[in-house]
Amino acid sequence: MSLAPSLPELIARARADLRMGVPVALRSSQGDAIAIAAEGLSPERLADMTALGTPVLTITARRATTLNARAYDGDVARLTLPKDATTLWVGSVADPADDLTHPMKGPFTSIRDGDASVHRAAITLAKSARLLPAALVVSVDNATQIASDNGLTVLPVELALPHMADLAPLTDVIHARVPLIASEAGRVHVFRPDDGGEEHFAVEIGKPDRSKPVLARLHSACFTGDLLGSLKCDCGPQLRSALAQMGTEGEGVLLYLNQEGRGIGHANKMRAYSLQDQGFDTVEANHRLGFEDDERDFRIGAAILKEMGFGAVRLMTNNPAKIAKMQDQGITVTERVALKVGENAHNTAYLATKAKKSGHLL
């Protein structure tokens, strides 16, 4: 029936449920499970999960390395809970905020045997929900019945896992003229993914010729830098400089992608900032949180460019990864236009880390 949710819609529903602190049912041929995000776990739901069986705390291999826990499953680690585990214990393992003040959290016992597909699915959902990448998972024999009794979303793991990294189709919902300081000939396009995710924007300056390479920038949203003028990064100056150059040339397109904090979300970005205040650099902070160096998906930018009719760009970037991804997605990069602005006393170390560890051309 067409009224039933599609697989992408089920994935989006499961992601939203975890974000609200609601468990989801995960069905697999290797065994079913009920999973809930570690972040925001309530004592009542911890008790309910424990009543179903033996909870396992699943974290990423990055977080496991910080905790000196074994990750026998490669990208994830499955940790057994102490018998007296509380939500505070779960939170302390998932969140590195107090790692330095309370470094001795173990020793941890990692599960070596059995299939980890339901655990991997739970971590993937938590990440895409912009939560800490940690989830409590309980293996059960009757996930469908539990879901029916409690109104939970049921996700078929083997069908869903290969598609969790799929790029959701984007629709140009509306575009309208918006006179800007950089150029009165501004037009803003709103692109909406069909999986319920955040909308992205394209700021078109002038009327670029679709048959020629367009001056373009993929700019990831940065609330602190773009709006507040934060000095911890160079995002705000890059945004304004890119628009100004497009205004000077009379045409261009700036893609404003809602991938805050290198794709980890506002809250996790602030957690990373807090860790930086403890002495960790931006990459180390991401790893302690359980994320990779950069969780952004630049395929979104390529998809928007194609939707707007552009096949070639003069890309304003210092990040070679953006160039590689554009070309991998069929967008020809005819020129890299450097964008070296915004360095100050507060972000010198941050920029040095981007150059040394992320390969930025600074």
Side-chain angles (χ1 to χ4, degrees):
M1 242 184 118
S2 61
L3 293 177
S6 65
L7 182 60
E9 289 165 343
L10 279 177
I11 294 172
R13 181 183 289 180
R15 180 194 307 130
D17 286 351
L18 289 189
R19 190 169 175 83
M20 292 186 293
V22 177
V24 298
L26 303 174
R27 295 201 60 197
S28 165
S29 62
Q30 300 298 316
D32 295 354
I34 304 297
I36 190 169
E39 184 174 345
L41 178 66
S42 70
E44 293 79 14
R45 283 203 163 118
L46 174 58
D48 289 343
M49 293 286 286
T50 303
L52 293 175
T54 304
V56 171
L57 182 57
T58 307
I59 58 176
T60 66
R62 289 291 191 188
R63 181 66 181 142
T65 297
T66 295
L67 297 170
N68 292 317
R70 298 291 183 91
Y72 292 116
D73 301 305
D75 55 339
V76 299
R78 295 172 287 155
L79 308 180
T80 60
L81 268 67
K83 291 183 179 180
D84 59 349
T86 64
T87 54
L88 290 177
W89 185 88
V90 172
S92 70
V93 175
D95 191 340
D98 296 324
D99 278 359
L100 295 189
T101 54
H102 298 91
M104 300 303 291
K105 293 184 172 66
F108 297 100
T109 301
S110 297
I111 298 173
R112 183 193 296 263
D113 301 321
D115 183 77
S117 58
V118 292
H119 306 79
R120 188 169 289 109
I123 288 291
T124 303
L125 287 170
K127 271 191 175 185
S128 64
R130 304 293 187 258
L131 299 170
L132 286 167
L136 208 62
V137 180
V138 179
S139 296
V140 296
D141 296 324
N142 54 343
T144 302
Q145 186 61 54
I146 294 171
S148 178
D149 292 343
N150 296 276
L152 305 182
T153 298
V154 180
L155 191 66
V157 169
E158 275 121 347
L159 288 176
L161 259 180
H163 297 287
M164 284 188 182
D166 287 354
L167 183 65
L170 291 155
T171 301
D172 188 348
V173 179
I174 187 66
H175 50 86
R177 186 179 67 86
V178 182
L180 306 172
I181 292 176
S183 172
E184 293 185 6
R187 181 171 291 274
V188 174
H189 300 248
V190 178
F191 285 86
R192 180 179 296 160
D194 73 354
D195 66 351
E198 294 178 296
E199 293 168 341
H200 306 283
F201 310 98
V203 181
E204 187 174 8
I205 302 297
K207 295 181 179 180
D209 186 342
R210 266 59 174 173
S211 67
K212 298 178 181 179
V214 63
L215 182 63
R217 170 159 176 78
L218 277 64
H219 188 90
S220 298
C222 178
F223 169 74
T224 50
D226 298 343
L227 273 69
L228 303 183
S230 168
L231 299 177
K232 284 182 68 71
C233 63
D234 55 345
C235 301
Q238 285 189 324
L239 172 65
R240 288 178 280 278
S241 178
L243 286 173
Q245 186 165 337
M246 292 174 188
T248 298
E249 295 195 13
E251 60 181 34
V253 59
L254 183 140
L255 308 184
Y256 197 85
L257 309 179
N258 266 313
Q259 301 192 105
E260 185 79 34
R262 295 187 179 182
I264 65 177
H266 290 278
N268 288 320
K269 174 182 172 179
M270 289 300 104
R271 290 184 173 113
Y273 276 10
S274 180
L275 291 172
Q276 289 170 35
D277 287 341
Q278 296 178 27
F280 301 103
D281 66 34
T282 182
V283 171
E284 292 166 342
N286 269 27
H287 290 178
R288 293 188 77 87
L289 285 165
F291 294 103
E292 296 303 314
D293 301 24
D294 194 334
E295 297 276 357
R296 290 176 293 181
D297 188 350
F298 296 126
R299 295 178 302 172
I300 298 170
I304 292 176
L305 286 168
K306 290 177 182 178
E307 182 69 20
M308 295 180 70
F310 297 109
V313 296
R314 297 165 51 222
L315 195 61
M316 302 184 75
T317 186
N318 302 323
N319 186 356
K322 289 184 181 179
I323 298 173
K325 183 55 67 175
M326 289 302 98
Q327 300 196 135
D328 180 62
Q329 294 297 305
I331 299 293
T332 301
V333 180
T334 62
E335 177 188 0
R336 182 185 78 86
V337 181
L339 196 58
K340 299 178 182 179
V341 294
E343 183 172 357
N344 62 71
H346 296 275
N347 65 19
T348 299
Y350 163 78
L351 294 176
T353 298
K354 287 211 295 186
K356 180 179 180 181
K357 294 188 175 182
S358 301
H360 286 222
L361 305 173
L362 300 175

